[in-house]
Amino acid sequence: MKYYSTNKKTPNVTLEVAVIKGLSEDKGLFMPERIEKLPDEFFETIGTLSFQEIAFAVAQAFFGEDVETAALKKIVYETLPFDTPLVEVEPNIFSLELFHGPTLAFKDVGARFMSRMLAYYISRQSNTDAVNVLVATSGDTGSAVANGFLGVEGIRVFVLYPKGKVSKIQESQFTTLGQNITALEVDGTFDDCQRLVKSAFLDEELNRKMKLTSANSINVARFLPQAFYYFYAFSQLRSMHPKQTAEELGTVFCVPSGNFGNLTAGLVAKRMGLPVKRFIAANNRNDIFLQYLKTGIYSPKPSVATIANAMDVGDPSNFVRILDLYGHSHEAISKEISGVSYTDEQITETMRNCFVETGYLLDPHGACGYQALKDKLGENENGIFLETAHPAKFSETVMSIQGLNVEIPARLLEFMKNKKHSIPIGTDFEEFKTFLLK
Ligand SMILES: *Cc1c(COP(=O)(O)O)cnc(C)c1O
């Protein structure tokens, strides 16, 4: 299958090129030419299938024409040795816990899948130069990507993060790994890190001399696999209500959103036939998408800092994919997706209330999703919010709320025990470029 650029100014490319390049030359994002519908029988029996079986069926619809069956199966099964359980928080409101992977956040799924897919293509290339993955992070992306790519042959990862601006737990998840992972501690802000990475992708000399790619959700191999868990969530809901038809279930997905990769993967799942009634995009005070829904005008803004910081995005990169999926129709988009936005005070209150009323501990991102369902879920609907990270990843926020406490899982503490290795760099691009070329 070929992939086109959302800017439509370049010829379509193969999956291999889309994965290795990440971004199209006209700076558009790649989209699959066709989105295959899965057969009715698949949805009838989905409640009996395992997560890996479901993911493999979905992966075949995306990538089956391009990746040999056995190799694809291996990629999927290696990506998902962990579960993403659906937990009933209160009647009709379910948490899809996406935090059971190695770094306790949903990005583990896409990062692991992408690393293995990239390794598959590298192993088939005659030019055996290593591929260099550059990733700027404010915390979560860096840890998921570094752990997803750890030890994968033929790939080097450079994680750029702002000095003193990521939590100790997050920092330990990408500075203690060694092997093919290099952490660069930038004496600047997250925006500086992002600018350095972007400049590298645009630098002609650098791209001539080394293979560079990006591992954030602009890459199709990271974003499409996120559709897997929407199907699996539905299958779990189905098993809980075996007497109801898919329609009667009235499934609503609520997605805490930043760059909108996760939500877009859900929209693709629906195109593949997943019986989803509608979607809600939950945001913190960075409400560009909500404003778009209200006015039909997309006006990106600088992001503001919130306690749900993985969603502090002022110009979501996957917005163009949503426009593309709906033929740029504001009406069509508004019919399928609604939006909400919460302040830090509202997020804190939600975390406290939810714990007091149900005993369920939310993280600040999942809290936006849960509250949106409390506010917007209709009768005869079942709401599933994506719990995108384990609350322990935001333990400082959780513990600052009266009455809340979170135990740090052993897996996170393990990272903190190891020695930090990072290379300090400035914000000057030439310095960064010289470093990469060395
Ligand atoms: C990355 C992230 C998000 C936002 O996901 P997008 O796909 O960028 O919309 C939400 N919550 C957490 C915890 C994240 O790490």
Side-chain angles (χ1 to χ4, degrees), residues 106-154:
F106 84 89
K107 291 185 175 80
D108 283 328
V109 174
R112 288 169 70 87
F113 188 93
M114 182 188 157
S115 71
R116 281 146 183 90
M117 176 88 110
L118 194 54
Y120 166 78
Y121 278 124
I122 291 170
S123 71
R124 290 152 43 104
Q125 287 196 331
S126 48
N127 170 349
T128 55
D129 293 351
V131 170
N132 299 280
V133 171
L134 303 184
V135 55
T137 187
S138 53
D140 261 9
T141 304
S143 46
V145 168
N147 284 273
F149 283 75
L150 181 65
V152 178
E153 223 168 288

Side-chain angles (χ1 to χ4, degrees), residues 1 11 14 25 31 65 69 108 139 214 231 291 294 388 416:
M1 195 186 310
T14 59
E25 261 155 35
M31 286 291 278
E65 283 176 23
T69 309
D108 283 328
S214 142
F231 287 88
Q291 293 311 323
K294 278 187 185 157
T388 46
M416 313 256 307

